[in-house]
């Protein structure tokens, strides 16, 4: 009987993977939180994020659908930087899965227990110049003199 339980445990362990879940500092490319989270069934990034933040008492404003603020960062009008009359930079939280920024929202981005995944949240921005949006989810920590980092100091 003990052999069967041990064999079942070993098989179950082989079928699930821990997801590396990370949140980076807004001004530096260093993790504030980095944990291995066991995933036993397919779930969304939104559900896993909410579960992890609740489990580790990480302050956030958002839901499984979207994250507005993590660790008390500004959002909405407080996260807009006016650079020139026709240029604005809008900040917010972005996530990537295995190094790629997802084109899907958190509630549609799936994490499987059958593959290794690394979910990484970082504070990013999009820039709008003359009624055109440029790149989105550019990491804010790449700008050492960034608007949010100046406010943080």
């Amino acid at each position: 009987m003990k052999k069967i339980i041990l064999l079942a445990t070993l098989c179950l362990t082989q079928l699930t993977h821990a997801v590396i879940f990370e949140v980076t500092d807004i001004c530096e490319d260093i993790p504030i939180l980095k944990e291995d989270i066991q995933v036993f069934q397919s779930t969304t990034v939104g559900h896993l994020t909410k579960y992890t933040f609740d489990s580790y008492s990480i302050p956030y404003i958002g839901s499984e659908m979207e994250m507005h603020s993590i660790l008390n960062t500004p959002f909405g009008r407080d996260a807009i930087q006016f650079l020139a009359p026709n240029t604005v930079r809008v900040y917010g939280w972005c996530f990537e899965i295995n190094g790629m920024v997802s084109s899907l929202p958190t509630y549609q981005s799936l994490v499987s227990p059958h593959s290794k995944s690394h979910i990484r949240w970082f504070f990013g921005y999009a820039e709008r110049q003359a009624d055109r949006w440029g790149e989105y989810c550019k990491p804010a920590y790449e700008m050492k003199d960034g608007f949010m980092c100046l406010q943080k100091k």
Side-chain angles (χ1 to χ4, degrees):
M1 185 66 171
K2 288 182 182 179
K3 287 182 182 179
I4 293 173
I5 292 172
L6 179 61
L7 184 58
T9 303
L10 287 173
C11 288
L12 185 61
T13 306
Q14 297 300 317
L15 296 176
T16 62
H17 291 284
V19 172
I20 299 170
F21 187 92
E22 181 178 342
V23 178
T24 62
D25 185 85
I26 67 171
C27 299
E28 297 179 74
D29 188 14
I30 57 170
I32 293 173
L33 172 73
K34 188 171 186 178
E35 292 293 332
D36 291 337
I37 309 295
Q38 284 294 330
V39 175
F40 297 102
Q41 64 185 25
S42 290
T43 189
T44 64
V45 169
H47 178 79
L48 186 64
T49 297
K50 190 173 178 331
Y51 167 81
T52 303
F53 289 168
D54 289 343
S55 297
Y56 289 90
S57 300
I58 302 295
Y60 69 93
I61 297 172
S63 67
E64 293 178 18
M65 305 287 280
E66 60 191 354
M67 281 294 140
H68 300 290
S69 175
I70 301 171
L71 297 165
N72 303 312
T73 53
F75 65 97
R77 289 184 175 172
D78 294 332
I80 298 174
Q81 180 183 20
F82 295 94
L83 301 172
N86 292 331
T87 307
V88 65
R89 195 174 283 156
V90 179
Y91 292 84
W93 285 95
C94 303
F95 71 96
E96 58 186 24
I97 302 173
N98 298 329
M100 300 292 294
V101 173
S102 179
S103 60
L104 297 173
T106 57
Y107 62 92
Q108 291 179 341
S109 297
L110 295 176
V111 177
S112 169
H114 306 297
S115 62
K116 292 183 180 179
S117 296
H118 183 167
I119 297 170
R120 180 175 171 262
W121 283 92
F122 64 93
F123 203 63
Y125 68 91
E127 196 168 286
R128 184 177 173 109
Q129 293 181 353
D131 297 328
R132 286 194 174 168
W133 286 102
E135 290 183 72
Y136 72 99
C137 283
K138 229 151 131 65
Y141 59 74
E142 290 179 352
M143 300 180 318
K144 296 299 181 193
D145 62 342
F147 170 66
M148 293 294 152
C149 296
L150 293 175
Q151 285 188 349
K152 185 179 167 187
K153 291 179 181 180

